[in-house]
């Protein structure tokens, strides 16, 4: 690594850490202003607020805002270099623009790798505590309100519940069907089904079982209660608030596969979008780094302040694109993979256009 690389990478990391710290302080101050009444209402101690919530919130925003933090850092740093004629001096000494970009890309690769590790595994672990804190102290109590619930429990078992009370873990007007191929083998109905925490099974109250035999006859049986072990538990009916944030990449894949198996493929776009966004983050950091260098490497007559302001405008545009594409993807309007990568694709195209126009 040459002296130029050490110099630029050093300034890059210092500026990046400063921007990350500044943005997180701003986010935490705004967040505390909005939620201070809730903290007071629940009589929470400083340790509970700081260690259970804000430490994990900082980890979350540090990774979430990393592409924007990198972009602002690059624009701020390179605009100052251009204002002091350092960029002109570097390029006029025979250094090509691509060579000038190299330390920036190396820095972006290091940050991108660290961010991928964060969003893939570390942030979901910390988010479990953050989301649990929010559900307990900041959100209203959750009540499962869906009706006429159809669930594919496994390859041959299907479950129907007209309504479910997640407070007492009890469902009403339940039906469990066993189907092999196209043949209905058994149908069990009960006015009530309830979770037995001791045996970890579902208990059907006043059940009626109807079995369909191979010879075409039917066998009916009734009883006071019947316990069934099913591949589903009360967690399925609990709040899904920010669940995608609390799952690692492997857990997200497993959850998506499980929901597809249960026949809930229409509700997995949120989780598919989340997993594609995590893979898109490192590439976003590299793209925005290169764009940041291109838009701020020229010495402007309006000064470095103009370039920095333009950088903030582009960062704002990127945030709007991410929010819009995420909403579209989560709603299932377009493929979640396309929605997750759309901001990167658009900004990559803009970066290519700007690259060929920048003086070299």
């Amino acid at each position: 690594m040459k002296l130029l690389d050490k110099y630029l990478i050093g300034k890059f990391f210092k500026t990046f850490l400063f921007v990350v710290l500044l943005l997180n302080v701003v986010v935490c101050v705004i967040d505390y202003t909005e939620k201070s009444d809730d903290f007071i209402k629940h009589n929470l101690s400083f340790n509970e607020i700081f260690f259970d919530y804000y430490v994990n919130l900082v980890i979350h925003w540090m990774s979430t805002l990393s592409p924007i933090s990198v972009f602002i850092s690059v624009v701020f740093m390179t605009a100052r270099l251009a204002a002091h004629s350092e960029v002109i001096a570097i390029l006029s000494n025979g250094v090509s623009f691509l060579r000038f970009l190299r330390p920036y890309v190396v820095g972006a690769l290091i940050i991108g790798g660290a961010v991928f590790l964060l969003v893939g595994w570390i942030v979901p672990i910390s988010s479990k505590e953050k989301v649990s804190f929010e559900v307990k102290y900041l959100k209203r109590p959750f009540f499962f309100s869906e009706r006429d619930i159809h669930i594919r429990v496994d390859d041959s078992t299907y479950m129907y519940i007209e309504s479910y009370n997640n407070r007492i873990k009890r469902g009403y007007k339940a039906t469990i069907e066993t189907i092999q191929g196209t043949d209905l083998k058994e149908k069990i109905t009960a006015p009530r089904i309830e979770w037995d925490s001791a045996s970890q099974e579902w208990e059907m109250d006043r059940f009626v079982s109807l079995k369909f035999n191979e010879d075409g006859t039917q066998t009916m049986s009734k009883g006071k209660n019947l316990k069934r072990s099913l591949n589903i538990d009360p967690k399925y009916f609990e709040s899904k608030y920010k669940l995608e944030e609390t799952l690692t990449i492997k857990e997200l894949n497993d959850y998506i596969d499980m929901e597809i198996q249960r026949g809930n493929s229409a509700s997995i776009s949120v989780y598919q979008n989340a997993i594609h966004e995590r893979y898109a983050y490192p590439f976003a950091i590299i793209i925005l780094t290169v764009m940041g260098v291109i838009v701020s490497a020229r010495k402007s007559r309006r000064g470095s302040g103009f370039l920095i302001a333009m950088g903030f405008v582009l960062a704002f545009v990127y945030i709007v694109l991410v929010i819009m594409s995420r909403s579209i993807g989560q709603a299932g309007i377009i493929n979640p993979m396309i929605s997750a990568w759309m901001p990167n694709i658009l900004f990559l195209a803009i970066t290519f256009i700007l690259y060929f126009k920048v003086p070299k």
Side-chain angles (χ1 to χ4, degrees), residues 88-151:
I88 295 174
I90 292 170
L91 297 179
S92 62
N93 276 282
V95 177
S96 67
F97 194 78
L98 279 176
R99 177 64 183 84
F100 175 67
L101 277 173
R102 185 191 299 175
Y104 286 95
V105 175
V106 170
L109 287 171
I110 294 171
I111 295 173
V115 167
F116 182 68
L117 180 64
L118 278 171
V119 299
W121 292 272
I122 297 174
V123 171
I125 294 172
S126 69
S127 290
K128 285 180 172 65
E129 193 169 356
K130 177 182 76 72
V131 171
S132 176
F133 183 95
E134 291 176 347
V135 170
K136 186 175 181 180
Y137 299 115
L138 305 178
K139 306 297 291 183
R140 293 180 178 179
F142 172 76
F143 294 96
F144 188 86
S145 58
E146 293 182 32
R147 296 185 64 85
D148 298 324
I149 309 138
H150 296 266
I151 307 167

Side-chain angles (χ1 to χ4, degrees), residues 121-254:
W121 292 272
I122 297 174
V123 171
I125 294 172
S126 69
S127 290
K128 285 180 172 65
E129 193 169 356
K130 177 182 76 72
V131 171
S132 176
F133 183 95
E134 291 176 347
V135 170
K136 186 175 181 180
Y137 299 115
L138 305 178
K139 306 297 291 183
R140 293 180 178 179
F142 172 76
F143 294 96
F144 188 86
S145 58
E146 293 182 32
R147 296 185 64 85
D148 298 324
I149 309 138
H150 296 266
I151 307 167
R152 183 183 180 185
V153 179
D154 54 43
D155 291 339
S156 60
T157 307
Y158 296 81
M159 184 179 185
Y160 166 80
I161 302 176
E162 184 182 84
S163 61
Y164 182 83
N165 187 327
N166 63 295
R167 292 294 168 183
I168 56 177
K169 300 178 182 178
R170 181 184 297 167
Y172 300 92
K173 294 186 179 179
T175 301
I176 297 177
E177 295 179 331
T178 301
I179 300 174
Q180 293 180 357
T182 58
D183 298 327
L184 178 62
K185 295 297 182 181
E186 184 181 19
K187 181 176 182 178
I188 306 173
T189 59
R192 190 173 72 183
I193 184 169
E194 191 168 352
W195 178 253
D196 186 349
S197 56
S199 63
Q200 297 291 295
E201 293 178 313
W202 291 98
E203 183 174 325
M204 304 183 75
D205 183 46
R206 290 175 290 138
F207 73 94
V208 176
S209 174
L210 188 63
K211 291 185 179 180
F212 299 86
N213 304 315
E214 295 292 340
D215 58 3
T217 61
Q218 301 176 9
T219 304
M220 179 182 288
S221 60
K222 299 180 180 181
K224 186 176 180 181
N225 58 67
L226 173 68
K227 289 189 177 182
R228 289 292 300 266
S229 179
L230 301 172
N231 187 28
I232 190 170
D233 58 36
K235 289 182 180 178
Y236 179 84
F237 303 100
E238 293 300 324
S239 172
K240 300 296 190 297
Y241 173 72
K242 294 186 179 180
L243 177 61
E244 69 279 6
E245 291 184 9
T246 66
L247 301 176
T248 64
I249 289 178
K250 183 181 183 305
E251 289 170 341
L252 270 172
N253 282 319
D254 292 342

Side-chain angles (χ1 to χ4, degrees), residues 250-267:
K250 183 181 183 305
E251 289 170 341
L252 270 172
N253 282 319
D254 292 342
Y255 183 82
I256 290 169
D257 292 340
M258 182 177 65
E259 288 299 290
I260 292 174
Q261 183 183 1
R262 288 175 174 170
N264 296 332
S265 56
S267 63

